[in-house]
Amino acid sequence: MSAALHRPRIAPGRIVAWTLLALGGIVMIMPFVFMISTSLKTPEQVYDLRLIPLRPTLKNYVELFADARFLNWFVNSLVTSTIVTLSVLFFDSLVGYTLAKYRFRGRSFVFIAILSTLMIPTEMLVIPWYLMSASLGWIDTYWGIMFPGLITGFGVFLMRQFFSTVPDELIDAARIDGLSEFRIWWEIALPLVTPAMSALAIFTFLGNWTAFLWPLIVTSEKDLFTVPVGLSSFASENLTRWEMVMTGAAVSTIPTLIVFIVFQKYIIRGVVLSGLKG
Amino acid sequence: MAEVSIKKLVKRYGDTEILHGIDLDIAHGEFVVLVGPSGCGKSTTLRMLAGLEEISGGEIAIGGRVVNNLEPKARNIAMVFQNYAIYPHFTVYKNIGFGLRTAKLDKREKDKRIREAAEILDLTPLLERKPSQLSGGQRQRVAIGRAMVRDPAVFLFDEPLSNLDAQLRAQMRLEVKRLHRRLGATIVFVTHDQVEAMTLADRIAIMREGRIEQLGTPDELYEQPVNTFVAQFVGSPSMNLLPGTLDADGQVRLEGLPEFAVPWSGPTGAAQPVTVGLRPDEMRVGDGLPGSGRISGEVEIVERLGHDALVYLKAGGHALIAKAEIANALTPGGPVTVTAAPGALHLFERESGRALPRS
Ligand SMILES: Nc1ncnc2c1ncn2[C@@H]1O[C@H](COP(=O)(O)OP(=O)(O)O)[C@@H](O)[C@H]1O
Ligand SMILES: [Mg+2]
């Protein structure tokens, strides 16, 4: 009897919100859809802007994977991004933990110094980085591509904030239980900040996978290009093969998607885990 | 043997001295409670015992061995914290057994100890749960279990019951007491709650501002407080402290209450200003025994406690509390007379607050 009375009404405000969100979503996903669509087109169709190709083909993908250069770039990106991400996860969380949980002279000075590096844009740093790399022989090496990102101010900041929420008593309890300081970090503190670690992993991997400016500057040998640099070299040859650029771009989203899916799970699980607040 | 000996213990943070030379000897198997108002240095003392805080001066020995420079794990102690401090990402079983990981025991022995502790603490059905699925009391029992399995020489407790509700606190208090009897271990227990201290302790150390004011059995502290601070801290409701004089004729008199005159049992000299201490428990509503001191005033509030009641009264410009039989018909605003027997009196020097000796 009351079913009719209590039928949920949709508030007008909600309709507006949903419409705006839907529009925003479409705007964001369009480039992605176009990328996929173009990668399925033949060279003649590329400037035919329809969303669904007339005769979709996987020929571009076959060509891409047959191209040793692309596989090479893919491996370069995968290796450098993975190493940088692991390094950031390890060192940033170690430094963040130290800043959050140890008292020592100059602690806030160090923290502020690290924070202040966040204010400097990459564009300003690439020239000093380049000069440094040139004089140390790091041009055209993996190390040259990776070194600026191995520890990040942002990651240290993020991890410090999250480690601050780990109760001191827990750490003291672990000390009494006989764990070394390193093991306390590894076995007690780290598992409690998995959401932050996962977010940091996603950000770092994404940022390095898509990094363009610095890898472009520090590499000149095609063998050492990363995927974005390599794809742009597709574009800058006398004839730009957009369908190949888009195919390469489409393939290059796969690792980022995998990283995202894997770590997103940990974010949710981490929130459930550390939901011990009283 | 696990006696604890603390000598001239000092703690400084930078230029501020927090502990000013604590001396405390604890016998093997003794239950000692450190009690005092918040910020008086109880936790700091305990944490220095545990090895979590550096020692700025003095010496700590456990079982005859100076431990000043030993890591917590080398001190053979276990600690239970106020906020439980159990690992949220481990099961109850793993939490309890965590401190045993480095112990040189075979697997079966470890398992046996964990299950024994769980049995004693009523945690057996919960062994596979995560801490987030436990109540506060259960979490604290897990923390106690974790301390138990290590079979330490000394148990350290830092306000372990403060986060529990009143009923659970009373229940856990009993369990801690039972545990002490069962394990026969040396226990140092910190609390700000004097009831907890009185009910648990073999001996109590009352602390104030980084010093031990008095060390003694609960009875000693109650019967012979060394100063007004201890006198007010021990006992509930607190001792009434009233300004008075100890006259040359050996009579104790109260300011503003001329009818009150009670002979003092201790030595008397020239008349001197004193603070007179009267425990609410030792005052009677009504006329009392001959020779008792009389205080007449006006009832402010009557608080019923069940069997008896607390009477808040105003007399001679002072506020007092007395215990009364519920049968006494007392109404707020009405007159009341309370009496104190001569033996119930505590006297303190007015200036220093130090107790005057009774004979
Ligand atoms: N890390 C610290 N730095 C400076 N002062 C501290 C520090 N830790 C504790 N204190 C001070 O030491 C005093 C005693 O603290 P604590 O032992 O925790 O008191 P309690 O446990 O009796 O409440 C307090 O006044 C507190 O402010
Ligand atoms: Mg404390």
Side-chain angles (χ1 to χ4, degrees):
Chain A
M1 154 196 128
S2 64
L5 285 175
H6 291 160
R7 181 184 298 161
R9 284 255 184 93
I10 298 170
R14 293 221 133 186
I15 297 178
V16 173
W18 285 346
T19 312
L20 286 177
L21 284 175
L23 283 176
I26 289 170
V27 167
M28 289 213 236
I29 207 158
M30 273 320 278
F32 189 80
V33 172
F34 253 106
M35 175 182 77
I36 302 291
S37 151
T38 311
S39 75
L40 299 173
K41 289 174 181 172
T42 57
E44 308 81 64
Q45 289 178 304
V46 162
Y47 290 100
D48 164 17
L49 291 181
R50 73 184 76 212
L51 216 49
I52 313 242
L54 268 183
R55 280 176 301 280
T57 168
L58 289 174
K59 201 172 65 52
N60 296 328
Y61 286 88
V62 176
E63 186 183 339
L64 189 75
F65 284 115
D67 188 335
R69 287 179 308 169
F70 181 77
L71 286 181
N72 194 358
W73 300 337
F74 199 86
V75 169
N76 292 343
S77 276
L78 206 59
V79 169
T80 55
S81 300
T82 305
I83 293 178
V84 169
T85 304
L86 292 177
S87 164
V88 159
L89 288 182
F90 183 78
F91 288 110
D92 285 9
S93 60
L94 209 51
V95 176
Y97 177 73
T98 308
L99 288 173
K101 288 298 170 197
Y102 287 90
R103 289 158 188 272
F104 52 90
R105 204 177 286 258
R107 171 169 83 155
S108 21
F109 174 78
V110 171
F111 181 56
I112 290 169
I114 291 173
L115 259 191
S116 63
T117 63
L118 292 181
M119 326 274 171
I120 307 168
T122 311
E123 287 77 0
M124 242 178 82
L125 290 170
V126 290
I127 292 171
W129 285 345
Y130 185 81
L131 295 176
M132 184 174 157
S133 305
S135 59
L136 292 171
W138 294 350
I139 306 284
D140 280 324
T141 62
Y142 275 175
W143 176 255
I145 298 172
M146 297 186 306
F147 84 87
L150 292 175
I151 300 187
T152 62
F154 170 73
V156 170
F157 169 71
L158 183 80
M159 296 316 297
R160 190 202 95 111
Q161 299 310 92
F162 271 80
F163 278 123
S164 304
T165 66
V166 174
D168 285 338
E169 285 193 347
L170 221 49
I171 292 167
D172 284 337
R175 283 190 184 124
I176 287 177
D177 279 338
L179 261 63
S180 67
E181 295 299 309
F182 184 83
R183 302 287 295 263
I184 293 174
W185 168 74
W186 179 251
E187 285 185 46
I188 306 300
L190 261 192
L192 298 178
V193 296
T194 39
M197 290 288 278
S198 308
L200 186 60
I202 292 173
F203 286 139
T204 309
F205 190 85
L206 239 67
N208 281 278
W209 186 263
T210 57
F212 179 65
L213 186 61
W214 175 245
L216 176 71
I217 289 170
V218 80
T219 54
S220 52
E221 270 178 44
K222 284 207 159 152
D223 279 354
L224 277 150
F225 282 177
T226 57
V227 171
V229 177
L231 290 183
S232 82
S233 80
F234 272 162
S236 56
E237 282 161 15
N238 35 13
L239 171 77
T240 300
R241 297 197 49 201
W242 286 115
E243 77 288 355
M244 290 309 289
V245 173
M246 290 304 157
T247 309
V251 171
S252 81
T253 59
I254 293 170
T256 59
L257 283 179
I258 291 175
V259 166
F260 187 77
I261 289 165
V262 167
F263 282 99
Q264 192 204 27
K265 196 178 71 190
Y266 284 107
I267 293 185
I268 294 163
R269 222 176 63 179
V271 170
V272 174
L273 246 185
S274 50
L276 181 68
K277 284 277 144 68
Chain B
M1 293 298 264
E3 66 277 358
V4 176
S5 157
I6 300 176
K7 290 203 176 69
K8 303 216 161 26
L9 188 67
V10 172
K11 179 67 187 178
R12 273 179 234 106
Y13 287 111
D15 292 336
T16 12
E17 198 171 280
I18 301 295
L19 294 178
H20 316 289
I22 301 278
D23 286 299
L24 182 60
D25 280 303
I26 301 167
H28 174 79
E30 198 177 15
F31 197 132
V32 167
V33 174
L34 304 182
V35 66
S38 170
C40 69
K42 310 178 293 287
S43 297
T44 307
T45 309
L46 203 69
R47 292 169 54 81
M48 286 164 89
L49 250 176
L52 296 170
E53 208 73 69
E54 251 172 65
I55 295 171
S56 314
E59 189 182 283
I60 296 178
I62 298 175
R65 186 175 55 141
V66 175
V67 296
N68 279 33
N69 296 314
L70 291 185
E71 304 256 298
K73 65 180 158 192
R75 294 188 180 196
N76 199 11
I77 47 104
M79 187 157 170
V80 177
F81 297 85
Q82 176 172 0
N83 297 306
Y84 323 129
I86 52 178
Y87 311 115
H89 50 307
F90 296 157
T91 59
V92 169
Y93 183 90
K94 188 155 182 207
N95 259 292
I96 295 180
F98 198 67
L100 285 180
R101 287 174 348 141
T102 49
K104 287 182 193 67
L105 294 171
D106 69 42
K107 236 178 146 173
R108 225 166 335 114
E109 172 65 18
K110 286 183 189 177
D111 183 70
K112 200 181 117 217
R113 282 211 200 172
I114 296 170
R115 290 186 189 282
E116 255 172 30
E119 199 55 47
I120 293 172
L121 294 166
D122 263 343
L123 290 170
T124 305
L126 308 175
L127 279 174
E128 293 315 313
R129 293 227 193 144
K130 286 279 178 66
S132 55
Q133 298 163 295
L134 302 179
S135 69
Q138 290 167 336
R139 284 180 201 176
Q140 197 54 288
R141 288 213 294 270
V142 173
I144 293 174
R146 183 175 62 189
M148 269 170 65
V149 292
R150 307 236 330 260
D151 195 18
V154 183
F155 282 91
L156 308 175
F157 289 84
D158 193 355
E159 309 218 12
L161 312 182
S162 299
N163 282 4
L164 307 176
D165 61 49
Q167 202 183 350
L168 205 51
R169 192 154 55 214
Q171 188 190 327
M172 287 294 288
R173 209 157 62 203
L174 271 181
E175 283 195 36
V176 170
K177 190 82 194 166
R178 228 175 262 141
L179 200 71
H180 177 236
R181 200 158 300 147
R182 181 177 187 133
L183 303 176
T186 310
I187 294 185
V188 185
F189 188 104
V190 162
T191 177
H192 64 265
D193 177 355
Q194 63 93 19
V195 176
E196 226 164 84
M198 295 293 277
T199 49
L200 284 173
D202 294 329
R203 278 192 307 157
I204 299 176
I206 298 205
M207 292 182 66
R208 174 167 66 160
E209 290 170 5
R211 291 199 170 79
I212 293 184
E213 293 283 317
Q214 188 171 2
L215 175 67
T217 64
D219 285 347
E220 279 166 10
L221 297 190
Y222 189 81
E223 312 272 348
Q224 298 148 31
V226 296
N227 57 28
T228 47
F229 175 79
V230 174
Q232 278 220 299
F233 200 86
V234 174
S236 170
S238 293
M239 184 186 277
N240 297 297
L241 293 178
L242 304 169
T245 50
L246 173 55
D247 290 333
D249 60 1
Q251 295 286 316
V252 179
R253 297 197 170 80
L254 291 176
E255 284 177 15
L257 292 165
E259 62 177 323
F260 186 97
V262 174
W264 174 241
S265 55
T268 322
Q272 62 167 320
V274 293
T275 301
V276 180
L278 292 168
R279 292 214 180 270
D281 286 332
E282 294 175 325
M283 287 159 70
R284 297 265 169 286
V285 171
D287 284 335
L289 301 169
S292 297
R294 288 168 58 92
I295 299 174
S296 303
E298 179 183 305
V299 178
E300 274 206 311
I301 298 169
V302 180
E303 250 179 25
R304 292 177 160 255
L305 300 177
H307 172 65
D308 40 21
L310 291 180
V311 188
Y312 293 74
L313 58 128
K314 272 236 145 68
H318 311 297
L320 279 88
I321 307 176
K323 264 215 177 120
E325 302 281 308
I326 212 107
N328 289 309
L330 295 167
T331 44
V336 63
T337 299
V338 294
T339 54
L345 243 55
H346 299 265
L347 288 194
F348 307 93
E349 288 173 7
R350 180 83 66 83
E351 286 295 316
S352 65
R354 266 200 302 270
L356 293 179
R358 293 203 271 194
S359 54

